Amino acid sequence: MSDSPQPQSTTISVVVPVYCGSDYLEALVEALDSLRREWQAQEAPFFLAEAIFVDDAAIDQSGPLIDRLAGQHPWIVPLHLSRNFGQHPATIVGILHSSGDWVVTMDEDLQHRPEIIKRLLRKAVTEHSDIVYAKPASAVHEAAIRDWTSRSFKRLMQWLTDNPNLPDFNSFRLIRGPVARAAASVCSHDTYLDITLGWFTQNISVLRAEMKDERYIRTKRSGYSLKSLLSHGWRMIFSSQIKLLRIGSVLGLSAMVFSVLAAVYFLVIRIFFPLDIAVQGWTSLFLAITFFGGLSAFMLGIALQYLSSMILKVHGKPTFFTIDRSGDVPAAQWLEQHPDPQP
């Protein structure tokens, strides 16, 4: 069996950030290798070209293990960061070192099963999507509080950023290669990868799949601390145009309009029904405070929105981006002839 892609094959790169994965990496590599050989045996028009494992200064023996696995499998690419930078930067590094037509990002702990990659690819090429997120079909952690906290956090961030795709954000994603590398190339320390991906495409789909965080279920220890969740929230907000800014501007403008209408109303009262005003001076003071307070809020909101737009532009938000989806056709035709087996 040849270990090279078929002519004109669609190549796929897998990116795995690694921090504490020594108990899972061998099984993950075995599953990826099985998927790779299955596609080769079926002469599929897509080929798992590389799996990039990014050692994010792992706290266990993951680093040496990655090197050993790379010696056994030439399609494994080991990368070692100089210190711990976090999951997002590690993922970005892997994406920038990738070369595939499609990039799959996934966790180290087998929560994201490699066999789902084929379903992600099917979703992408049949719907001409540029990004497909794998969304859990059931509770991931099998812990009501933990799952509720995760959902609530995403809903809060969605309300703050007004991003309709935010509840679907997941580290298990299939991304069209040019989009993935373009988004990764503009990410800075405080930008959120999934937000930047949305700068380059709106063709985003979701695939429901069973995913279980076996590490959390077994140990009751999450890979995300409160500090890391707050860091994620800050990155989401920093990378987005905040809904609150628009709300503040609208409220400020509403206060101005209210004060003007109220001033007209009380002026009419003052001219035609002067005896109805029991306290002198309070009305004008109240309306003046309302008008100038609203004006200040409106102008501040406009200025902050303008500043936010400038920051996003400086951070690399593109004016336009082109994409070629013509390569989806062969993969879509082959997948149509090879349906997924029924569970």
Side-chain angles (χ1 to χ4, degrees), residues 267-339:
L267 181 61
V268 171
I269 296 295
R270 176 63 176 161
I271 294 174
F272 295 101
F273 308 99
L275 297 179
D276 289 349
I277 300 178
V279 180
Q280 300 294 323
W282 182 88
T283 303
S284 58
L285 178 62
F286 171 78
L287 294 178
I289 293 174
T290 302
F291 177 83
F292 287 106
L295 177 63
S296 298
F298 176 70
M299 297 301 294
L300 181 60
I302 294 297
L304 289 177
Q305 287 192 70
Y306 181 70
L307 180 62
S308 175
S309 297
M310 290 180 60
I311 290 175
L312 294 183
K313 189 66 176 179
V314 169
H315 281 196
K317 187 174 184 179
T319 304
F320 63 88
F321 187 76
T322 60
I323 197 70
D324 179 12
R325 301 187 179 95
S326 59
D328 295 352
V329 176
Q333 292 174 343
W334 188 90
L335 287 166
E336 185 178 355
Q337 298 169 4
H338 297 77

Side-chain angles (χ1 to χ4, degrees), residues 91-254:
T91 303
I92 290 167
V93 168
I95 290 174
L96 290 177
H97 280 78
S98 69
S99 59
D101 299 311
W102 291 92
V103 176
V104 176
T105 65
M106 58 194 309
D107 289 349
E108 63 191 13
D109 57 3
L110 293 176
Q111 176 185 160
H112 305 151
R113 303 196 313 276
E115 58 266 28
I116 298 177
I117 294 175
K118 182 179 177 181
R119 294 174 56 197
L120 293 172
L121 188 62
R122 181 189 299 277
K123 185 83 170 179
V125 298
T126 55
E127 298 184 7
H128 294 292
S129 300
D130 298 318
I131 305 170
V132 182
Y133 288 102
K135 188 171 185 177
S138 60
V140 175
H141 307 94
E142 294 187 356
I145 295 178
R146 179 69 177 83
D147 290 314
W148 176 84
T149 301
S150 178
R151 291 193 301 270
S152 300
F153 175 77
K154 287 185 176 181
R155 281 197 293 266
L156 174 62
M157 289 298 106
Q158 181 188 21
W159 184 83
L160 287 173
T161 63
D162 204 22
N163 187 323
N165 298 310
L166 198 146
D168 301 322
F169 287 174
N170 194 296
S171 55
F172 193 14
R173 19 169 144 69
L174 174 74
I175 317 166
R176 200 176 295 273
V179 172
R181 287 181 283 273
S185 67
V186 302
C187 282
S188 66
H189 177 71
D190 282 322
T191 46
Y192 197 83
L193 176 60
D194 294 289
I195 299 292
T196 59
L197 287 170
W199 294 351
F200 291 87
T201 181
Q202 292 180 326
N203 288 28
I204 301 174
S205 299
V206 176
L207 174 73
R208 289 195 170 273
E210 280 296 334
M211 292 184 284
K212 296 294 182 182
D213 190 345
E214 299 294 344
R215 175 157 50 188
Y216 181 86
I217 293 172
R218 189 178 70 255
T219 65
K220 299 304 178 183
R221 294 179 62 184
S222 172
Y224 293 97
S225 63
L226 177 61
K227 180 180 178 181
S228 63
L229 286 175
L230 292 175
S231 176
H232 276 311
W234 167 250
R235 284 178 173 173
M236 287 181 185
I237 292 174
F238 190 78
S239 307
S240 308
Q241 288 185 310
I242 308 305
K243 183 179 181 180
L244 287 177
L245 299 181
R246 296 192 297 272
I247 294 176
S249 299
V250 171
L251 290 177
L253 181 61
S254 300

Side-chain angles (χ1 to χ4, degrees), residues 6 8-11 39 42-47 330-335:
Q6 300 294 324
Q8 297 182 346
S9 287
T10 298
T11 56
W39 286 349
Q42 295 174 341
E43 297 184 349
F46 34 86
F47 179 74
Q333 292 174 343
W334 188 90
L335 287 166

